[in-house]
């Protein structure tokens, strides 16, 4: 006699995929009837402009996921409003046995899930990270606040977890009474650089890991190209990981497979996997923040409240070409490499001594892959505040960095067209030109540097040292 299906609600959040999604893993030999639900929360999307690139990517991802589910005979039930009001109603009307959702360590999500968990049976699953935050702890059962020991503990667990991709037992069906038409009210412009679909995420991963399709880029040259600003040296999977169009566990699974079959690329693959470990590290820190001592100097650090210099940084008018190129790429494309993020953050917090929270907020407004825990974690690390931060005396010199990672000035010329006609010796240091040369090269009003690097470095070191001595 056929068993009646177990009814569950899939509350879609940051897991917009069908492949390797723990929410859809059925651990019983009983059919599973899944009602896919997405709630557009106005309190969350209201923080951003109507043309925000991250929201656009999210809505396009939803459209793509709905198309995939329609191919399976179902449809997403999309609502606009407060999840605390909507989820319990759907749970009751559908007659579900539980609501399943992927765990999210952000403070907003925890508060929301705690409230809803009191109204309906809410089962939070893994899937956001390769290894769960509770599974990577020290021998004394404490959370790691520094990356290196975290990574050593994480590595073997990541190998094990990524090798145990779940198998679907029994039949899974999707309900088709949902109404996704509300998506028509939101942005639908296609993003040529980051097409939003699970298939695109899989294609990017396979292309990046291929050792034959891209012999001069991708994994083959990852270690030497990952920091280059004038090349596409990274996988650019971050937006897809941000919204769960691809499983981080599956990503690591395929990377380990390349490592096993091609040991000569151990250095390249291991370096790339370590970048994924950083993502897990920040997720773990967000999950375990209550365990860390309060070593955040943010509140009483003597930040400079210089709004004019902040604006110059935001809009790429600092007079330092590499910084300006980075900030202009951010505003136009909504994505910059990790090296670019570190350079921009270091300049704002060290050379300008402006509060890292100003910069973190600007990044979150413009990044297509903006993630609060990774974004805040990265900014605190660069600024030298918070648990496990980088040494305060680590100050990136934008000129040195530019010559190293954009040696011919191609990146600067692309994003700072005022300097497109300058020869390589001057493209990173245009202030070395005479007034006559500036006119001859038609620099179109490109500004002089807003700060002297040597003076700024001395000021930053003096300020940090004084603070450390008094705390």
């Amino acid at each position: 006699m056929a068993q009646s299906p177990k009814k569950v609600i899939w509350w879609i959040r940051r897991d917009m995929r069908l492949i390797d999604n723990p929410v859809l893993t059925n651990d019983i030999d009983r059919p599973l009837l899944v009602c896919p639900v997405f709630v557009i929360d106005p309190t969350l999307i209201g923080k951003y402009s109507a043309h925000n690139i991250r929201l656009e990517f999210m809505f396009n991802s939803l459209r793509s996921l709905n198309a995939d589910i329609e191919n399976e005979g179902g449809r997403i039930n999309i609502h606009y409003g407060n999840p605390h009001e909507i989820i319990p109603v759907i749970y009751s009307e559908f007659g579900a046995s539980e609501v399943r959702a992927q765990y999210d360590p952000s403070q907003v999500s925890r508060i929301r899930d705690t409230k809803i968990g009191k109204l309906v049976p809410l089962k939070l699953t893994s899937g956001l990270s390769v290894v769960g935050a509770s599974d990577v702890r020290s021998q004394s059962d404490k959370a790691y606040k520094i990356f290196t020991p975290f990574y050593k503990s994480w590595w073997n667990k990541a190998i094990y977890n990524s090798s145990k991709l779940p198998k679907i037992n029994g039949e899974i069906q999707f309900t088709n009474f949902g109404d996704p038409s509300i998506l028509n009210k939101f942005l639908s412009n296609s993003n040529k650089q980051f097409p939003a679909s699970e298939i695109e995420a899989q294609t990017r991963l396979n292309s990046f890991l291929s050792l034959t399709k891209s012999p001069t880029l991708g994994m083959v040259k990852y270690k030497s190209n990952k920091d280059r600003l004038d090349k596409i040296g990274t996988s650019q999977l971050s937006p897809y990981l941000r919204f769960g169009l691809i499983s981080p566990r599956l990503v690591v699974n395929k990377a380990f497979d390349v490592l096993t079959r091609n040991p000569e690329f151990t250095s390249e693959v291991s370096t790339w996997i370590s970048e994924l470990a950083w993502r897990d590290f920040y997720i773990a820190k967000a999950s375990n923040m209550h365990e860390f001592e309060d070593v955040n100097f943010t509140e009483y650090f003597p930040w400079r409240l210089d709004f004019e210099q902040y604006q110059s940084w935001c809009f790429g008018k600092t007079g330092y070409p590499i910084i300006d190129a980075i900030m202009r790429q951010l505003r136009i494309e909504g994505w910059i490499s990790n090296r670019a993020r570190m350079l921009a953050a270091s300049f704002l917090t060290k050379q300008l001594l402006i509060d890292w929270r100003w910069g973190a907020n600007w990044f979150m407004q413009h990044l297509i892959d903006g993630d609060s825990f990774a974004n805040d974690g990265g900014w605190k690390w660069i600024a030298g505040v918070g648990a496990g931060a980088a040494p305060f005396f680590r100050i990136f010199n934008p000129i040195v960095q530019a010559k190293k990672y954009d040696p011919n000035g191609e990146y600067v010329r692309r994003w700072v067209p005022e300097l497109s006609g300058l020869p390589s010796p001057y493209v990173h240091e245009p202030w070395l030109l005479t007034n006559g040369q500036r006119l001859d090269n038609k620099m179109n009003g490109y500004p002089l540097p807003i700060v002297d690097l040597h003076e700024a470095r001395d000021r930053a070191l003096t300020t940090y040292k004084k603070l450390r001595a008094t705390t």
Side-chain angles (χ1 to χ4, degrees):
M1 182 176 178
Q3 288 183 302
S4 60
K6 179 179 181 180
K7 295 182 177 181
V8 301
I9 290 175
W10 171 19
W11 181 8
I12 303 167
R13 307 196 301 201
R14 296 182 48 171
D15 56 338
M16 300 184 187
R17 65 180 182 276
L18 299 181
I19 300 174
D20 187 31
N21 190 333
V23 169
L24 303 178
T25 301
N26 195 3
D27 56 1
I28 57 175
D29 294 326
R30 177 184 174 186
L32 196 66
L33 183 60
V34 179
C35 176
V37 176
F38 187 86
V39 181
I40 302 172
D41 188 342
T43 62
L44 295 181
I45 68 171
K47 298 178 181 179
Y48 306 103
S49 70
H51 300 285
N52 181 270
I53 191 172
R54 189 162 65 258
L55 289 184
E56 181 180 276
F57 185 84
M58 181 189 76
F59 287 125
N60 284 338
S61 298
L62 268 176
R63 294 183 180 96
S64 177
L65 177 61
N66 185 65
D68 291 341
I69 291 177
E70 285 185 339
N71 289 335
E72 300 293 328
R75 190 181 299 163
I76 301 178
N77 201 342
I78 302 179
H79 295 262
Y80 180 89
N82 189 333
H84 306 122
E85 299 172 355
I86 294 172
I87 294 297
V89 171
I90 298 176
Y91 167 79
S92 177
E93 291 179 348
F94 180 51
S97 60
E98 64 186 13
V99 176
R100 295 182 181 181
Q102 182 177 267
Y103 169 71
D104 187 326
S106 67
Q107 185 176 16
V108 172
S109 296
R110 289 198 206 188
I111 294 173
R112 175 193 60 197
D113 292 346
T114 298
K115 290 182 179 179
I116 292 183
K118 295 178 180 179
L119 303 174
V120 298
L122 178 61
K123 179 182 179 181
L124 296 177
T125 70
S126 60
L128 183 63
S129 55
V130 181
V131 183
S134 60
D135 296 327
V136 188
R137 301 180 67 82
S138 69
Q139 292 183 347
S140 56
D141 195 29
K142 293 183 179 180
Y144 291 104
K145 68 176 183 179
I146 298 175
F147 176 73
T148 300
F150 171 89
Y151 182 49
K152 291 179 180 179
S153 175
W154 177 91
W155 179 268
N156 288 333
K157 294 181 175 65
I159 294 176
Y160 178 81
N161 282 13
S162 64
S163 67
K164 302 294 182 182
L165 297 183
K167 300 292 189 301
I168 295 178
N169 300 317
E171 182 183 1
I172 291 183
Q173 293 182 326
F174 295 102
T175 59
N176 62 3
F177 56 76
D179 181 11
S181 64
I182 192 174
L183 285 176
N184 297 331
K185 299 179 180 180
F186 297 94
L187 295 172
S188 61
N189 297 327
S190 60
N191 187 319
K192 294 182 179 179
Q193 184 179 0
F194 294 104
S197 74
E198 185 172 2
I199 292 177
E200 173 66 21
Q202 296 281 344
T203 300
R204 285 186 177 228
L205 174 63
N206 293 333
S207 178
F208 179 77
L209 292 178
S210 172
L211 302 180
T212 56
K213 289 184 178 180
S214 304
T216 60
L217 294 173
M219 185 60 77
V220 175
K221 295 289 185 180
Y222 178 72
K223 196 169 183 179
S224 58
N225 286 340
K226 69 183 182 70
D227 290 317
R228 289 289 291 266
L229 299 173
D230 56 344
K231 296 182 179 182
I232 302 177
T234 63
S235 66
Q236 296 193 350
L237 279 173
S238 55
Y240 303 92
L241 287 166
R242 165 64 177 85
F243 288 102
L245 278 77
I246 193 167
S247 157
R249 182 169 53 183
L250 179 63
V251 169
V252 172
N253 172 271
K254 291 194 174 186
F256 276 129
D257 183 55
V258 172
L259 185 62
T260 301
R261 290 185 289 105
N262 305 275
E264 67 272 24
F265 290 101
T266 296
S267 180
E268 308 291 333
V269 180
S270 298
T271 299
W272 189 64
I273 291 176
S274 73
E275 301 294 342
L276 297 168
W278 270 104
R279 181 176 179 273
D280 271 21
F281 176 59
Y282 285 132
I283 293 173
K285 288 189 74 171
S287 301
N288 300 310
M289 188 55 67
H290 61 283
E291 295 188 37
F292 301 129
E293 298 177 8
D294 184 12
V295 293
N296 192 337
F297 298 101
T298 297
E299 298 299 336
Y300 44 90
F301 190 90
W303 302 111
R304 297 175 59 250
L305 305 179
D306 194 323
F307 189 71
E308 182 177 350
Q309 287 194 345
Y310 172 66
Q311 288 288 92
S312 296
W313 176 83
C314 289
F315 293 96
K317 297 181 179 180
T318 67
Y320 287 97
I322 199 68
I323 301 300
D324 295 341
I326 290 168
M327 298 308 295
R328 294 183 191 190
Q329 182 190 9
L330 173 63
R331 289 184 63 231
I332 294 173
E333 290 193 344
W335 185 90
I336 51 178
S337 68
N338 184 57
R339 173 60 55 175
R341 298 180 199 207
M342 290 194 294
L343 292 182
S346 178
F347 187 83
L348 184 73
T349 59
K350 300 294 179 66
Q351 273 89 357
L352 300 184
L353 279 185
I354 290 176
D355 195 332
W356 68 268
R357 291 172 294 188
W358 291 21
N361 180 64
W362 184 260
F363 270 28
M364 284 299 291
Q365 290 289 334
H366 293 86
L367 282 171
I368 191 172
D369 60 2
D371 217 332
S372 59
F373 48 80
N375 188 54
D376 286 2
W379 273 92
K380 288 180 180 180
W381 189 84
I382 285 291
V385 301
F392 70 90
F393 50 79
R394 177 175 290 172
I395 303 176
F396 290 118
N397 183 308
I399 301 173
V400 173
Q401 294 281 308
K403 292 180 178 180
K404 184 175 182 179
Y405 299 118
D406 184 29
N408 298 316
E410 295 176 11
Y411 178 74
V412 164
R413 291 189 184 91
R414 177 184 178 188
W415 294 107
V416 187
E418 305 98 302
L419 307 180
S420 60
L422 292 187
S424 294
Y426 296 105
V427 70
H428 293 307
E429 301 175 275
W431 53 86
L432 297 179
L433 293 168
T434 64
N435 289 335
Q437 288 174 317
R438 291 173 70 88
L439 291 173
D440 291 342
N441 283 281
K442 299 179 181 179
M443 291 174 58
N444 299 318
Y446 184 73
L448 291 170
I450 62 174
V451 66
D452 180 273
L453 291 182
H454 297 294
E455 294 178 357
R457 177 180 172 80
D458 290 341
R459 178 179 62 187
L461 291 176
T462 299
T463 303
Y464 274 82
K465 286 178 181 177
K466 285 183 178 179
L467 179 65
R468 296 281 172 166
T470 58
T471 56

